Amino acid sequence: MRRAIFMIMLRSLLRDRGALAMSFILPGVVFAIFAVIFSGASGGALSVRVAVADLRNDAASQSFLKELFANENVRRIDMAEGGRDSVVAKVRDGASDVGLVVRGLAGPMSQPTVGGLAHIEMITDPSREIASSMLSGIIQQAYVSMLPGASPDMRFFDRTSATPGSDSFSAVAYYAGAVAVMFLLFSSLTQGLSYLDERENGLLDRIASGPGHLGIVIDGKFIFMVALGWVQVAIVFLVAWQVFGLDLPSQIGPWALTTLAASIAAAGLAIVFVTLCRTRKQADTLGQMLVLVVSALGGSMVPRFLMPPEIQAIGWLTPNTWALEAYASLFWRGDGLDALLLPWAVLASIGLAAVIVARLVTLAPRSGPSER
Amino acid sequence: MRIDASVRADSNGRRPAGPAAVLSVRDVSVAIGGADIVKNASLAIGRGEIVTLLGPNGAGKSTLCRAICGQMPVARGNIRITGRDPYRSRKAKTAIGMVPQQIALYDRLTPRENLVAFGAIMGVPRREQMSRTEALLERVGLGERINDPVRNLSGGMQRRVNIAVALMHDPALIVLDEPTVGLDARSEAGIVDLLRSLRDDGTAILLVTHDLGEARQLGDRLVIMVAGRVRMSGALSDLIARDFAHIRQVRVRNPRLADSHGAPRLMQALGLQPGNDPNSWHAVLKAGDPALTKLFEAMTSHRLQADEIVVKQPDLGWLLEACIRDAQENG
């Protein structure tokens, strides 16, 4: 009898192409994607972008920088003009993960400090602490290489935040945004699955045979999902504010609009996804996989700067990246509204375009589920 | 047996399409994936009339219903509900109330909430939604359970709510797909009474069913579909009286002879054939056929005994079987 049950399960699986693909193809595909994202398996090692201003600009500083950038894990972005301010700006706007200024001090670099001042100033972004930690180690290594026999000396460099005052809650702000957007996608998917329940139990047929059409179902669900998503993200940020001290009140207006745009994108993508799926089971399994992959690519699991450059570029195709960029602009870069307009436009456009496609899919004539 | 041409398709028993017909289906073909699932079907339903749509699985009944409800376009012919095309006209759709075979309700909502929600979706003015809801729930006998979630109601109650929802916008035509499937006799009787009362109020009803008893009980007219075509249409008594009045179905159950074991040989000699039940013998004879006289003579001359000897006019099941045979033989 056990054999019979086993054979029933096996035959059912072999005859269900969708389940077959999910069972044997999807795990490998998802693993490969995650491996590329998290281990830099695309061929490029983890690379920290370092904006450099060499104010000293002599043989010693050039030797030090040569030693530093001999390390394959750091990538140099030279600030030929603008000096320190350019480096700070580059780190603030995310174009560089960390900044490095070689101060123009008169004393030899073999002495860690001159008049109590370190030779090297590291400009950090609190949301990319890992990059700063990595660079700290590489600076020590370069210092020792430059001066054979010297011991690592922490006084050789000091650290300055590119966004003063944001250090204490920047990690919280990052994770609030990251978790909220991933949760938003999961939540929208769950709500969207009700569309397939309704299709399977005849509710949609009933509505379609009345004066209303299925477009109203899509619209109604979309509006609800946007509202629910907004409230769910609000709860995450309220906890971040009340428990972890995130300065939400000062950014409440732009935050509300950013969250609205992110909710529109998540709801739209979820609704178009379920309308394209044939069964709830298919949508449920595939949807969860997709949310995980999109969230990983978009930086909801680990910061994108830790990923290979190719994967970082793909991240711009996900709503997570745009939403996280907007939250980053709000909470630690302190950018103006100008910096938010593009993320808002992209997120809202993704969501609205997805709803239009969902409506077209839904309103297209389809054959009945069963014929008698 | 070949079905008389006069009752093939829909030439008789059909109300003339026009202002009196709530639903008019004329020579409609519906295609799915390039293949005609419904072929040249015609039928009509007037106010206060129940038409039952019968047929084996795969006959095209559901596809025809979907086209009638405006969910699919027709490839040829036309469908009119109160004179309008349901696929293109919103007004036509306001005249349709569809009751799917499944319990198509929001099961976490109460019957009252379901009715109000569907009333809004169907365009019932807000001020009328509550009064209609309460009147309908009272009518379907759920006045005391209106605030229980649907999932907590019995199957029969859920079926009644399923029908009530379709009535919220006061449609001229209700299309029901097996509304009593899975119900016990008492619950089924409740649904049958409800449908009769709706008919008496002037609603046109198209009832899709596999339940021959229900079709016989409720159908003012029957439409039998097989392999995508309407094979017969009309009132059951008319169909039988007009074309099958001379036919008699004969059934002898468990025939026995007092003094020998030759009952099967005698049955065969009388022209009867064994049925699916080996103790049951059947024949279709013309009225006045000598075989019928011989059967009754055998009862005395051979002292034939049986648990049951039935001679009757063809019933609905026989008509359905005749249509299926006709489809197999003639396409």
Side-chain angles (χ1 to χ4, degrees), chain A residues 6-22:
Chain A
F6 178 88
M7 292 308 294
I8 290 168
M9 300 287 289
L10 180 63
R11 286 188 179 122
S12 302
L13 178 64
L14 292 176
R15 288 168 195 174
D16 182 343
R17 278 178 294 180
L20 210 55
M22 282 185 213

mmCIF file of all heavy atoms in Angstrom, chain A residues 6-22:
data_model
loop_
_atom_site.group_PDB
_atom_site.id
_atom_site.type_symbol
_atom_site.label_atom_id
_atom_site.label_comp_id
_atom_site.label_asym_id
_atom_site.label_seq_id
_atom_site.Cartn_x
_atom_site.Cartn_y
_atom_site.Cartn_z
ATOM 1 N N PHE A 6 3.307 5.856 -2.911
ATOM 2 C CA PHE A 6 4.538 6.415 -3.484
ATOM 3 C C PHE A 6 4.393 6.595 -4.996
ATOM 4 O O PHE A 6 4.741 7.640 -5.560
ATOM 5 C CB PHE A 6 5.715 5.466 -3.169
ATOM 6 C CG PHE A 6 7.022 5.907 -3.754
ATOM 7 C CD1 PHE A 6 7.858 6.765 -3.047
ATOM 8 C CD2 PHE A 6 7.414 5.492 -5.021
ATOM 9 C CE1 PHE A 6 9.063 7.189 -3.590
ATOM 10 C CE2 PHE A 6 8.608 5.912 -5.575
ATOM 11 C CZ PHE A 6 9.440 6.762 -4.850
ATOM 12 N N MET A 7 3.854 5.558 -5.661
ATOM 13 C CA MET A 7 3.716 5.614 -7.118
ATOM 14 C C MET A 7 2.706 6.686 -7.546
ATOM 15 O O MET A 7 2.891 7.355 -8.567
ATOM 16 C CB MET A 7 3.281 4.242 -7.665
ATOM 17 C CG MET A 7 4.346 3.165 -7.539
ATOM 18 S SD MET A 7 5.953 3.645 -8.219
ATOM 19 C CE MET A 7 5.564 3.765 -9.946
ATOM 20 N N ILE A 8 1.644 6.849 -6.756
ATOM 21 C CA ILE A 8 0.657 7.893 -7.064
ATOM 22 C C ILE A 8 1.331 9.267 -7.023
ATOM 23 O O ILE A 8 1.185 10.099 -7.919
ATOM 24 C CB ILE A 8 -0.524 7.849 -6.055
ATOM 25 C CG1 ILE A 8 -1.375 6.594 -6.296
ATOM 26 C CG2 ILE A 8 -1.375 9.117 -6.149
ATOM 27 C CD1 ILE A 8 -2.362 6.306 -5.192
ATOM 28 N N MET A 9 2.117 9.467 -5.955
ATOM 29 C CA MET A 9 2.809 10.753 -5.801
ATOM 30 C C MET A 9 3.784 10.975 -6.964
ATOM 31 O O MET A 9 3.860 12.066 -7.538
ATOM 32 C CB MET A 9 3.598 10.794 -4.487
ATOM 33 C CG MET A 9 2.761 10.630 -3.237
ATOM 34 S SD MET A 9 1.773 12.076 -2.861
ATOM 35 C CE MET A 9 3.005 13.227 -2.344
ATOM 36 N N LEU A 10 4.515 9.931 -7.295
ATOM 37 C CA LEU A 10 5.521 10.045 -8.359
ATOM 38 C C LEU A 10 4.865 10.345 -9.701
ATOM 39 O O LEU A 10 5.280 11.258 -10.427
ATOM 40 C CB LEU A 10 6.337 8.743 -8.436
ATOM 41 C CG LEU A 10 7.432 8.722 -9.507
ATOM 42 C CD1 LEU A 10 8.486 9.783 -9.211
ATOM 43 C CD2 LEU A 10 8.082 7.349 -9.598
ATOM 44 N N ARG A 11 3.808 9.587 -10.033
ATOM 45 C CA ARG A 11 3.146 9.803 -11.329
ATOM 46 C C ARG A 11 2.515 11.185 -11.398
ATOM 47 O O ARG A 11 2.561 11.852 -12.430
ATOM 48 C CB ARG A 11 2.084 8.726 -11.552
ATOM 49 C CG ARG A 11 2.711 7.385 -11.888
ATOM 50 C CD ARG A 11 1.681 6.350 -12.298
ATOM 51 N NE ARG A 11 2.351 5.109 -12.637
ATOM 52 C CZ ARG A 11 2.115 3.929 -12.058
ATOM 53 N NH1 ARG A 11 1.201 3.838 -11.127
ATOM 54 N NH2 ARG A 11 2.782 2.872 -12.422
ATOM 55 N N SER A 12 1.907 11.611 -10.288
ATOM 56 C CA SER A 12 1.278 12.936 -10.270
ATOM 57 C C SER A 12 2.318 14.016 -10.527
ATOM 58 O O SER A 12 2.084 14.957 -11.276
ATOM 59 C CB SER A 12 0.598 13.192 -8.915
ATOM 60 O OG SER A 12 -0.352 12.207 -8.670
ATOM 61 N N LEU A 13 3.473 13.849 -9.892
ATOM 62 C CA LEU A 13 4.541 14.837 -10.065
ATOM 63 C C LEU A 13 5.056 14.833 -11.507
ATOM 64 O O LEU A 13 5.212 15.888 -12.127
ATOM 65 C CB LEU A 13 5.688 14.530 -9.094
ATOM 66 C CG LEU A 13 6.906 15.453 -9.172
ATOM 67 C CD1 LEU A 13 6.517 16.869 -8.793
ATOM 68 C CD2 LEU A 13 8.014 14.966 -8.256
ATOM 69 N N LEU A 14 5.292 13.637 -12.054
ATOM 70 C CA LEU A 14 5.839 13.546 -13.403
ATOM 71 C C LEU A 14 4.887 14.099 -14.454
ATOM 72 O O LEU A 14 5.308 14.558 -15.508
ATOM 73 C CB LEU A 14 6.181 12.088 -13.736
ATOM 74 C CG LEU A 14 7.344 11.492 -12.932
ATOM 75 C CD1 LEU A 14 7.537 10.023 -13.255
ATOM 76 C CD2 LEU A 14 8.641 12.258 -13.190
ATOM 77 N N ARG A 15 3.585 14.071 -14.153
ATOM 78 C CA ARG A 15 2.605 14.555 -15.138
ATOM 79 C C ARG A 15 2.226 16.009 -14.935
ATOM 80 O O ARG A 15 1.400 16.548 -15.663
ATOM 81 C CB ARG A 15 1.365 13.660 -15.084
ATOM 82 C CG ARG A 15 1.672 12.311 -15.694
ATOM 83 C CD ARG A 15 0.615 11.294 -15.427
ATOM 84 N NE ARG A 15 1.134 9.960 -15.735
ATOM 85 C CZ ARG A 15 0.484 8.836 -15.488
ATOM 86 N NH1 ARG A 15 -0.713 8.873 -14.945
ATOM 87 N NH2 ARG A 15 1.020 7.681 -15.789
ATOM 88 N N ASP A 16 2.775 16.648 -13.915
ATOM 89 C CA ASP A 16 2.497 18.066 -13.663
ATOM 90 C C ASP A 16 3.767 18.840 -14.011
ATOM 91 O O ASP A 16 4.705 18.923 -13.224
ATOM 92 C CB ASP A 16 2.121 18.254 -12.190
ATOM 93 C CG ASP A 16 1.763 19.696 -11.876
ATOM 94 O OD1 ASP A 16 2.097 20.587 -12.683
ATOM 95 O OD2 ASP A 16 1.149 19.932 -10.819
ATOM 96 N N ARG A 17 3.783 19.410 -15.232
ATOM 97 C CA ARG A 17 5.013 20.061 -15.700
ATOM 98 C C ARG A 17 5.428 21.222 -14.810
ATOM 99 O O ARG A 17 6.603 21.445 -14.551
ATOM 100 C CB ARG A 17 4.838 20.535 -17.142
ATOM 101 C CG ARG A 17 5.058 19.408 -18.131
ATOM 102 C CD ARG A 17 4.839 19.882 -19.518
ATOM 103 N NE ARG A 17 3.444 20.251 -19.745
ATOM 104 C CZ ARG A 17 2.969 20.710 -20.885
ATOM 105 N NH1 ARG A 17 3.762 20.899 -21.897
ATOM 106 N NH2 ARG A 17 1.681 21.002 -21.017
ATOM 107 N N GLY A 18 4.410 21.962 -14.314
ATOM 108 C CA GLY A 18 4.715 23.106 -13.449
ATOM 109 C C GLY A 18 5.395 22.649 -12.173
ATOM 110 O O GLY A 18 6.434 23.184 -11.768
ATOM 111 N N ALA A 19 4.813 21.620 -11.544
ATOM 112 C CA ALA A 19 5.385 21.113 -10.289
ATOM 113 C C ALA A 19 6.768 20.518 -10.538
ATOM 114 O O ALA A 19 7.674 20.638 -9.716
ATOM 115 C CB ALA A 19 4.458 20.070 -9.694
ATOM 116 N N LEU A 20 6.904 19.896 -11.701
ATOM 117 C CA LEU A 20 8.184 19.287 -12.061
ATOM 118 C C LEU A 20 9.278 20.361 -12.154
ATOM 119 O O LEU A 20 10.375 20.209 -11.612
ATOM 120 C CB LEU A 20 8.022 18.588 -13.413
ATOM 121 C CG LEU A 20 8.869 17.369 -13.698
ATOM 122 C CD1 LEU A 20 8.694 16.316 -12.627
ATOM 123 C CD2 LEU A 20 8.515 16.804 -15.062
ATOM 124 N N ALA A 21 8.936 21.449 -12.828
ATOM 125 C CA ALA A 21 9.905 22.542 -12.972
ATOM 126 C C ALA A 21 10.248 23.126 -11.609
ATOM 127 O O ALA A 21 11.409 23.394 -11.300
ATOM 128 C CB ALA A 21 9.343 23.619 -13.887
ATOM 129 N N MET A 22 9.211 23.314 -10.775
ATOM 130 C CA MET A 22 9.462 23.905 -9.460
ATOM 131 C C MET A 22 10.285 22.963 -8.594
ATOM 132 O O MET A 22 11.068 23.390 -7.749
ATOM 133 C CB MET A 22 8.141 24.230 -8.785
ATOM 134 C CG MET A 22 7.529 25.497 -9.324
ATOM 135 S SD MET A 22 6.059 25.918 -8.425
ATOM 136 C CE MET A 22 5.078 26.675 -9.672
#
